[in-house]
Amino acid sequence: PRLDEQASALSQDWPMPVIKFYIGKMTTVQLSAAAKSDDTKKERNQTCEANFYLAEWQLAHANRAGALEHLKQAKSGCPHGYIEYEGALEELKHLSAAAPATPKH
């Protein structure tokens, strides 16, 4: 079965908005809005996850600049024990290693 077929049977709570984004049923703006919460800690955690998975999507679609923006937000906003924090650090390290050298004058 396809992911969108399987997703319909899952709870619609977080992280379902991430799945909906990945299957094309939600925009980046909608995903970011879905991460909002009246609970500050919950919002921080969901925003962390949204930023990381938005970055991964950007990388998969060859948008390095967009990925960097979201990875930096994940790095600064994610709790240090989150796998998304560790993933953001690794992706940023990988992207900086792959960056073209700046010519020196």
Side-chain angles (χ1 to χ4, degrees):
R2 294 172 27 130
L3 179 59
D4 56 342
E5 293 167 356
Q6 292 176 332
S8 66
L10 300 174
S11 166
Q12 296 303 300
D13 295 332
W14 191 264
M16 181 51 77
V18 175
I19 295 169
K20 285 184 175 182
F21 172 77
Y22 270 80
I23 60 176
K25 300 208 183 259
M26 195 172 265
T27 67
T28 57
V29 172
Q30 290 170 321
L31 177 56
S32 295
K36 304 283 186 219
S37 173
D38 292 338
D39 179 329
T40 305
K41 183 178 179 183
K42 185 176 181 180
E43 181 172 332
R44 179 194 64 185
N45 296 343
Q46 291 177 173
T47 299
C48 152
E49 294 167 345
N51 278 319
F52 179 75
Y53 294 109
L54 284 168
E56 290 299 301
W57 189 88
Q58 296 286 351
L59 285 173
H61 291 84
N63 183 348
R64 188 175 190 274
L68 280 170
E69 177 185 332
H70 288 291
L71 288 168
K72 288 175 184 175
Q73 290 174 11
K75 179 184 173 189
S76 68
C78 287
H80 289 206
Y82 268 48
I83 193 168
E84 291 83 2
Y85 173 77
E86 297 297 328
L89 293 179
E90 287 300 314
E91 290 288 20
L92 287 166
K93 185 168 49 172
H94 173 74
L95 289 171
S96 68
T102 306
K104 298 187 180 194
H105 298 278

